[in-house]
Amino acid sequence: MTEVHDWDDEDDGEWVPVVDTAPSPPRTRPSPPPIGFRCDRCSTVVPTGMAECPRCLSPVGPPRRGAGRPGVLRLVFRGGGRHLDVPRGSEIRLGRDDGWAPEASEFLAAEDTVSGRHATVLHTSDGAAWLTEVPQGATNGTRVNDRVLAPGSRVRLSNGDRVELGPEVDFEVRGIGEEPEEAAP
């Protein structure tokens, strides 16, 4: 029991004891909701509810198949949040020449280490992905996971592969479906 004193205005203006029979509940403040969590790849704080890291575009939360849209291969370029999507059954050209590589040249135009006609990425209808350096070769070369590609040769891509277009531009491959049994064209 807690005894509290209160001012009595009605009588003689004296303090009167007031008995409180119920214990006061402990005062606790509710925890604020979390604002986010750290990205496993780049440690950026990702706000709650976002499906991708705003800095490196890595998927967050439960593992997802694909790049957010079924049947789409995503090439996520380092820095700046740039990416290219390649739907199944299509090919994209990588280079600075806007007539030859219209999608990629938009943000590769200022990259002096990337050739005008550098490489192609084919995303087959069965979900496989292939990277080919142009047959005449790219000035600064193409590497997949630090393995140098010969001009005109192709390599099969897997989720998480790092592709370098010269020494300063690279991207990560995401969204490749289950590996088909036989090799694609």
Side-chain angles (χ1 to χ4, degrees):
M1 250 200 299
T2 306
E3 187 173 303
V4 180
H5 295 278
D6 194 9
W7 185 258
D8 182 10
D9 288 332
E10 295 178 13
D11 292 332
D12 55 4
E14 297 284 322
W15 285 100
V16 188
V18 176
V19 178
D20 182 9
T21 57
S24 299
R27 291 187 179 205
T28 59
R29 293 178 189 223
S31 299
I35 61 166
F37 47 93
R38 294 226 175 255
C39 172
D40 291 334
R41 183 163 185 237
C42 70
S43 298
T44 296
V45 174
V46 179
T48 301
M50 289 190 70
E52 293 179 332
C53 172
R55 181 171 180 213
C56 71
L57 297 178
S58 292
V60 295
R64 300 180 313 158
R65 288 179 75 157
R69 294 185 323 191
V72 173
L73 171 68
R74 179 166 281 184
L75 312 177
V76 181
F77 286 80
R78 177 178 43 143
R82 303 173 300 174
H83 68 272
L84 290 170
D85 287 340
V86 186
R88 279 188 183 203
S90 66
E91 180 179 73
I92 192 164
R93 294 174 176 172
L94 304 173
R96 293 183 300 131
D97 182 333
D98 62 349
W100 188 78
E103 298 93 350
S105 67
E106 187 175 315
F107 59 85
L108 293 176
E111 302 292 346
D112 294 335
T113 62
V114 176
S115 294
R117 297 177 180 202
H118 202 104
T120 61
V121 174
L122 172 66
H123 189 197
T124 64
S125 59
D126 66 359
W130 298 88
L131 174 79
T132 305
E133 182 174 303
V134 293
Q136 63 272 27
T139 303
N140 289 306
T142 306
R143 286 170 292 292
V144 177
N145 299 324
D146 295 322
R147 189 177 117 212
V148 177
L149 249 60
S153 69
R154 70 178 189 165
V155 65
R156 186 173 188 158
L157 299 173
S158 298
N159 279 322
D161 280 350
R162 191 174 112 238
V163 176
E164 297 173 61
L165 305 175
E168 296 178 15
V169 176
D170 65 82
F171 62 86
E172 184 177 319
V173 177
R174 298 204 194 123
I176 296 177
E178 292 296 316
E179 298 291 328
E181 291 298 318
E182 68 277 348

